[in-house]
Amino acid sequence: MTLDPLSIAQFLSAIHPYDAMEPAALQTLIDALTVKTVTAGGEIYALNAPLDGLYVVYRGDVEICDEHDVPISLLGPRNSFGERGLLRDGASLTSARAVSDTTVLLLPAKRFHQAMSEDPAFRRFFDRSRTEKPNTANLATTRVEALMATTPLTCPPATDVQTAARLMRDARVSSICVADGETLKGIATIRDLSGKVVGEGLPFDTPISTIMTPDPVTLPPSAIGSDVLHMMMERRIGHIPVCQAGKLVGIVTQTDLTRFQAVSSAELVSEIAHSDSAEDMAKVTKRIPQLLAQLVAGGNRHEVITRLITDVADTVTRRLLALAEEKLGAPPVPYLWLACGSQGRQEQTGVSDQDNCLFLDDSVTDADMPYFEALARFVCDGLDTCGYVYCPGDMMATNPRWRQPVRVWRDYFAGWIKTPSPEAQMLASVMFDLRPIGGATRLFEDLQAETLRKASANSIFVAHMVSNSLKHTPPLGLLRGFATIRSGEHKNMIDLKHNGVVPVVDLGRIYALQGKLTAVNSAARLEAAIAAGVLSASGGQDLRDAYNLIAETRLEHQAEQVRTGIMPDNFLSPTDLSDFERSHLRDAFVVIKSLQSAVGHGRGMLS
């Protein structure tokens, strides 16, 4: 197939990242392209073969397969492929073949690397590595869109001042934006009502436009928090509307700045540690979504955010244990409260239920059991009051099955390992994430090491665990799209938890099992697996980058929901993402699927 430069330019100008390149740079890139036609079934490149360059599908369909010849992508027009191998050592990490008669554009490897070094737009698109983020949130690094209220109270200019005052009272805010449709006309505050209406004796039917501040100063969502603070101090105002393209999109107030600077995990932990009831702690834990939004806005890494949020849950649990002992008296025998699930892995976000269990010293008697039943009920009820809802699967210490002497727990693990039934696989997966929260930690230490040793030595059990871990699959669809949920409340969305984060959690658990690694946190498991040689450095880096991107996308999604007053969840519509974001997210899912394939074929690494 013959293509003229104009046709190629028109084609590429509608595709990322070429549409963001300077015209001259794009033209030099086009001059270097060659056109290749491959008949249906024909090979474009083989696994581990030197790559000629970067490929862009112009017409047709290309199937990408991993090292085990398992299809991981079906690419159509406008899709690029081959960049991962080019950015590593120049050899292909996959194989590619034409499904139908296909035409591809080939950018030679030398020209690809030249564009990576010279063109920022090109480099930003194809560089899949994640840069380090700061661990602090402050006004100098936080954008206004993360601080503002996205649904400011508004009224038309003709609204009378009494109605406006009632609207402000009912909404419990100190200002109202006067708008004509989406266009901001002015702003009125409590001070305006008291000073201009009450102070001057104006009638209550006076139009709000009479007392408002017309054409107030505004800021765009892209401004930063220090811009707000400086403007407020310079002009002696406490409310700044936020406008974009002439439209009112939010408002930021002194209260927003104070709240941002005041909320920290340390403050929440301190307040909880001094609380005298679950109800008091619940008032503190209600601020966790705000803490999440603030930490995300400050550019913190996902593993830092989830660790800080989990620390709050740990403190709540330990405080409830202390209150339970104050109420019930000293425990008759030593005990250990453990968390599993996301709390156990220190990976809690803005959406968490409770998963916990109770280990009792082997000296416990039947007469002692009512004490621990009451303790478990007190703590689990308190956690529910604080927003950590009851586990739907009843994986809690209130269930007698999960409130047992250590000898029974030892039998549990031995039985699951010896007879890996579907239930045993599920329970073992959950229990391998156990982490002590409060009590006698000695009750768990020997059992953890013993269980890892026995489990890793049983190849049948490991094989069953691997099979079980592959049930959560990345949401990959055809033609470089996503396999979204087909029906129900979350139709046309992807589940960033169960189809994004959980597959990595499952892989990390398998690596920990294979290497007898005691780490519980998923990121720590990946690091330990690389260090132990269970996971190759190259495969591990790919998986860490993929995990970082998915986890950060999930937290950013939840933070945006918090900012807009929506209860955070894990369901994201791909249409909410830019082409750039969709491309990178899908590539992350491809990496995970490749690692799942490697584990499923008895290998823990990418070569």
Side-chain angles (χ1 to χ4, degrees), residues 163-179:
T163 300
R166 287 172 175 166
L167 290 172
M168 293 164 66
R169 177 200 64 194
D170 294 344
R172 297 183 180 180
V173 297
S174 57
S175 66
I176 188 166
C177 292
V178 182

Side-chain angles (χ1 to χ4, degrees), residues 128-133 544-545 548-549 552 556 584:
R128 279 7 186 192
S129 63
R130 308 291 290 169
T131 57
E132 289 295 312
K133 291 188 175 185
R544 284 187 300 179
D545 287 342
N548 289 342
L549 177 60
E552 288 169 11
E556 288 164 0
H584 278 243

